[in-house]
């Protein structure tokens, strides 16, 4: 299709014509072209949804692991239970909220476990140590 179709507008237009029983006004050539175009769009959307789900699951697993490690290291009474309750809420968070939580939890984790952000064990004694730990983010 040469022109860029606003898919929502076209769907609304089709629904109106079908609801008003104006089937004779439906442009079937345009509908056929649109169906081919929307097939490509849906395929791309499905791929993005899969990628998003994978990234979302990774974020949730990282946040969960760091939260549990912080709770175990804290050893305050009830800390583990509140950490587990927090972990159970992660699935309901939107992407922006997950990113904010990841940043917050990873900062706490780095503060609690600074040694875990050092160089790999084989390089610890070499002369190529870095002073800037931000390269390991």
């Amino acid at each position: 299709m040469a022109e860029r179709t606003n898919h929502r507008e076209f769907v609304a237009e089709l629904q109106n014509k079908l609801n008003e029983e104006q089937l004779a006004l439906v442009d079937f050539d345009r509908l056929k072209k649109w169906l081919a175009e929307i097939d490509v769009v849906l395929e791309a959307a499905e791929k993005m949804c899969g990628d998003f789900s994978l990234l979302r699951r990774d974020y949730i697993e990282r946040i969960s692991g760091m939260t549990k490690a912080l709770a175990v290291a804290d050893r305050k009474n009830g800390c583990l239970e509140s950490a587990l309750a927090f972990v159970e809420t992660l699935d309901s968070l939107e992407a922006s909220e997950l990113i904010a939580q990841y940043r917050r939890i990873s900062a706490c984790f780095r503060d609690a476990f600074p040694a875990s952000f050092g160089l790999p064990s084989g390089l610890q004694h070499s002369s190529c140590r870095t002073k800037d730990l931000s390269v390991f983010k």
Side-chain angles (χ1 to χ4, degrees):
M1 205 168 218
E3 78 273 359
R4 182 103 174 129
T5 303
N6 183 323
H7 300 296
R8 295 181 134 203
E9 285 179 9
F10 187 68
V11 167
E13 178 186 327
L14 282 173
Q15 286 175 327
N16 285 336
K17 288 179 180 173
L18 294 175
N19 287 339
E20 296 171 7
E21 297 181 11
Q22 298 176 347
L23 194 57
L25 297 178
V26 173
D27 182 349
F28 285 96
D29 290 332
R30 183 176 174 210
L31 178 59
K32 184 178 175 182
K33 290 177 185 177
W34 178 77
L35 288 171
E37 182 181 330
I38 200 68
D39 184 51
V40 173
V41 171
L42 289 173
E43 184 179 345
E46 288 171 354
K47 183 182 180 324
M48 279 192 290
C49 283
D51 289 347
F52 174 76
S53 293
L54 181 65
L55 291 169
R56 180 179 180 76
R57 180 61 29 217
D58 183 64
Y59 258 64
I60 289 172
E61 288 173 2
R62 287 171 186 256
I63 295 168
S64 297
M66 288 186 287
T67 300
K68 292 172 188 175
L70 288 168
V72 169
D74 196 358
R75 295 186 184 154
K76 287 183 185 168
N77 199 13
C79 189
L80 190 56
E81 289 81 14
S82 68
L84 293 176
F86 169 72
V87 165
E88 289 177 1
T89 68
L90 293 175
D91 275 331
S92 66
L93 298 181
E94 293 184 12
S96 61
E97 295 169 316
L98 270 177
I99 291 168
Q101 289 299 330
Y102 177 78
R103 289 178 179 163
R104 184 183 69 79
I105 295 295
S106 64
C108 292
F109 188 83
R110 282 191 301 271
D111 288 344
F113 303 101
S116 65
F117 290 91
L119 291 172
S121 60
L123 299 175
Q124 285 180 352
H125 301 292
S126 80
S127 62
C128 60
R129 287 188 181 198
T130 181
K131 302 277 190 227
D132 182 14
L133 294 181
S134 67
V135 298
F136 296 107
K137 287 184 180 179

